[in-house]
Amino acid sequence: MGDPKAFLNIPRQEAGYRPVSERITDYSQVEQTLNTNSRKLQASRCMDCGVPFCHWACPIGNKQPEWQDALFKGKWKEAYEVLSSTCDFPEFTGRICPALCEKSCVLKLSCDQPVTIRENEAAIVEAAFREGYIQVQHPQRNGKKVAVVGAGPAGLVVANQLNLKGYTVTLFDKDEAAGGLLRFGIPNFKLDKNVIDRRMKILAAEGIQFEMGVEIDVNHLPEGFDAYCICTGTPTARDLSIPGRELKGIHFALEMLAQQNRILEGQTFPKDKLVNAKGKKVLVIGGGDTGSDCIGTSVRQGATSVTQIEIMPKPPVGHNPSTPWPQWPVVFKTTSSHEEGCTRRWCLTSNQFLGKNGKVTGVEVEEVEWTPATDGGRPTMNLTGKKEVIEADMVLLAMGFLKPEQPKFAENVFLAGDAATGASLVVRAMAGGRKAAADIDHYLVK
């Protein structure tokens, strides 16, 4: 440790966001950065705990204390080498990971002031790109071929890991460019697509073959490969099958998010196909990160109002005694998008969509109460009979995704990411990609 007492003297300092009045006028990244000196001071706060819970909580096993110490000492290259030994793409996780590590940091558990691990991670990888520490590798080929179906976080990790081991990897994806939900689900104001393109150029230069815009039937995989990895994610969004669902103006969240990202890349859509919130009262159904992304996008598109409803109760602020560590803390969360203008409500279920002339005009909602289970299991939802109508010209469904059912595959076909586990975090998909790559390597060399 460079400064064993830094955590006593240096408070947590986050980079923060650009001013609301400025950021809602564009789709540039909302998060700011600290200067180099301040970033090193934040890294110095790491206590180098005897049992690093941050490392334990990280799905990919990042060695946070090691690279925090290197960062504090100004050894940026060493910090990146340690970081990249466990994380294939820290420029992604450093921007969008919910930082399970920080929720387990001893400084979080003791005084609610965790080390800024995620921001430090992003700073390290950006320095690595800036200083030229990231160089194109030229692996020696071993003569075996692997097909990876799906170019999201899991598929990219599988392809990267196997390519570096010498396999000839072909990456297939139904979309026109690689990235999966990183590219087509997460808004640019959280993850600029230039960050993805920068890495894809490196992967292509290292020998990964990209076959984009190709729909692969997993029941009839292309011939000529020694192994396959299915990384197709969770393509089916959870629907809300209530009366009025057929009305125009009701969309899945990704219909808006993916289209807006494509528009920013220069694509155009007919007027009758646009999913745009300009001049509309928007209702977002679903209280997770995807719902939050819909809020920020709606605000930027010019919505007159945005309301977000959630069927679950409003979480407590700061600490939730029902989710003690090491559980994920279910507490009230305000995202950058929430700050930009949104009415938030909880304990509401949707009964029916209301419309006029075939277009949605509102949603009848009903207040619910939750009764805790006596055995510690799932609580019971009870309708209260208290109904009301929320006016809406556009409804966005952001209620998660259904776990896909996979066929029985041959022994040389592997699964990774959400295709295997159901919808989860990007960092968990990346961890699954690493495991699948190791399993494929073990299978092909045995």
Side-chain angles (χ1 to χ4, degrees), residues 144-165:
K144 296 183 179 180
K145 299 180 179 181
V146 178
V148 179
V149 182
L156 291 172
V157 169
V158 173
N160 183 54
Q161 287 289 305
L162 293 177
N163 181 66
L164 294 176
K165 291 178 182 295

Side-chain angles (χ1 to χ4, degrees), residues 73-308:
K73 294 176 179 176
K75 300 178 180 179
W76 291 83
K77 186 175 183 180
E78 178 183 323
Y80 176 73
E81 289 172 347
V82 176
L83 173 58
S84 61
S85 69
T86 55
C87 184
D88 291 64
F89 310 121
E91 66 269 33
F92 302 155
T93 50
R95 285 174 166 84
I96 62 171
C97 186
L100 286 75
C101 51
E102 292 188 26
K103 305 304 183 291
S104 295
C105 176
V106 170
L107 288 175
K108 164 69 177 177
L109 305 177
S110 60
C111 59
D112 199 26
Q113 292 287 310
V115 177
T116 54
I117 303 173
R118 179 188 59 79
E119 290 187 13
N120 294 354
E121 178 178 336
I124 290 170
V125 68
E126 287 308 308
F129 275 108
R130 185 173 61 248
E131 300 299 327
Y133 301 150
I134 301 174
Q135 297 292 321
V136 173
Q137 306 296 312
H138 299 285
Q140 184 176 348
R141 299 299 159 190
N142 59 22
K144 296 183 179 180
K145 299 180 179 181
V146 178
V148 179
V149 182
L156 291 172
V157 169
V158 173
N160 183 54
Q161 287 289 305
L162 293 177
N163 181 66
L164 294 176
K165 291 178 182 295
Y167 295 93
T168 298
V169 180
T170 303
L171 189 57
F172 298 91
D173 197 279
K174 61 180 177 58
D175 291 318
E176 65 272 22
L181 286 183
L182 294 172
R183 183 179 297 277
F184 297 108
I186 297 175
N188 282 31
F189 54 80
K190 288 173 62 176
L191 176 63
D192 192 286
K193 301 311 174 269
N194 290 326
V195 174
I196 301 175
D197 293 337
R198 177 178 61 182
R199 179 64 73 168
M200 295 309 105
K201 290 177 181 177
I202 293 175
L203 298 184
E206 291 180 337
I208 295 176
Q209 300 171 24
F210 289 83
E211 295 288 343
M212 300 294 103
V214 178
E215 188 86 44
I216 299 293
D217 182 352
V218 296
N219 293 296
H220 300 90
L221 294 169
E223 298 180 354
F225 296 93
D226 299 290
Y228 303 81
C229 194
I230 310 301
C231 308
T232 47
T234 51
T236 305
R238 183 173 282 109
D239 206 344
L240 188 56
S241 299
I242 58 176
R245 177 63 179 86
E246 75 285 352
L247 293 167
K248 292 183 180 180
I250 304 170
H251 306 276
F252 290 117
L254 281 185
E255 292 181 55
M256 167 191 259
L257 299 176
Q259 186 183 91
Q260 181 59 58
N261 284 355
R262 286 185 165 99
I263 289 173
L264 292 173
E265 291 297 314
Q267 295 188 39
T268 57
F269 297 85
K271 187 175 181 180
D272 62 337
K273 299 295 183 182
L274 282 176
V275 184
N276 193 286
K278 185 175 181 179
K280 296 178 181 178
K281 300 175 183 177
V282 177
L283 174 64
V284 179
I285 301 178
D289 288 334
T290 302
S292 170
D293 293 342
C294 288
I295 294 167
T297 302
S298 296
V299 168
R300 284 161 179 75
Q301 289 182 348
T304 57
S305 67
V306 185
T307 301
Q308 182 184 38

